[in-house]
Amino acid sequence: GSSTQVYFERMANIEARFYEIWKDMSLNDSLSEVERAKLAVWDYPVSDKYTKMWQAMKEAGLPNTLDEAVQKVRDSKSSSEGFAFLGDATDIRYLEATSCDLTVV
C-alpha cells in the first residue's frame, strides 16, 4: 500500500489501458486499410516497462512493512540474486545512514 507500490501499479494499468485503446483503434473496421496500417501493433508507441516492473514486483512478493522489506534485502544471496527494495527516498536514505549493511543504488 506504499506510494511506490501504488505508482507502479497505476502506471502498469495505464500502459495496459493504452494498449487496449491502441489495439481497438487498429482493428476498427470503419477505418480505411491505410489508416489501420498506420496504427499497426508493431508500431505501438508506448513501452511496457511499468507492466514488466509491476509483474516482477508481484512475483518477488511485495513486503507488508518496511522492516519486512529490509529483511528480504538482507536475506538476499547477492546483489545480483536477491530482493531490491524500491521505496520513498527519505526512508531509504535513513536506512542507509543507520544500517552499515545497506547501500543505495
Side-chain angles (χ1 to χ4, degrees):
S2 70
S3 59
T4 304
Q5 177 184 343
V6 169
Y7 174 77
F8 278 96
E9 184 177 20
R10 282 185 182 166
M11 293 303 291
N13 289 336
I14 288 168
E15 284 177 350
R17 183 66 184 128
F18 279 165
Y19 177 75
E20 288 302 317
I21 291 168
W22 182 265
K23 186 174 74 172
D24 290 346
M25 287 172 51
S26 68
L27 298 174
N28 186 339
D29 288 337
S30 68
L31 298 176
S32 71
E33 282 190 39
V34 172
E35 290 172 318
R36 274 201 312 232
K38 290 178 184 177
L39 297 172
V41 173
W42 52 85
D43 292 331
Y44 181 62
V46 179
S47 147
D48 63 347
K49 66 182 174 186
Y50 290 103
T51 301
K52 289 177 180 174
M53 280 292 296
W54 178 238
Q55 184 63 35
M57 290 166 73
K58 291 189 302 183
E59 287 173 8
L62 299 167
N64 293 313
T65 65
L66 184 59
D67 290 336
E68 185 181 333
V70 170
Q71 193 58 52
K72 285 183 88 162
V73 170
R74 286 187 171 128
D75 291 343
S76 296
K77 293 179 184 178
S78 68
S79 60
S80 62
E81 282 187 53
F83 185 82
F85 172 61
L86 305 175
D88 182 67
T90 306
D91 291 335
I92 292 173
R93 286 189 191 110
Y94 174 78
L95 288 167
E96 181 189 34
T98 60
S99 304
C100 297
D101 61 332
L102 299 176
T103 304
V104 174
V105 178

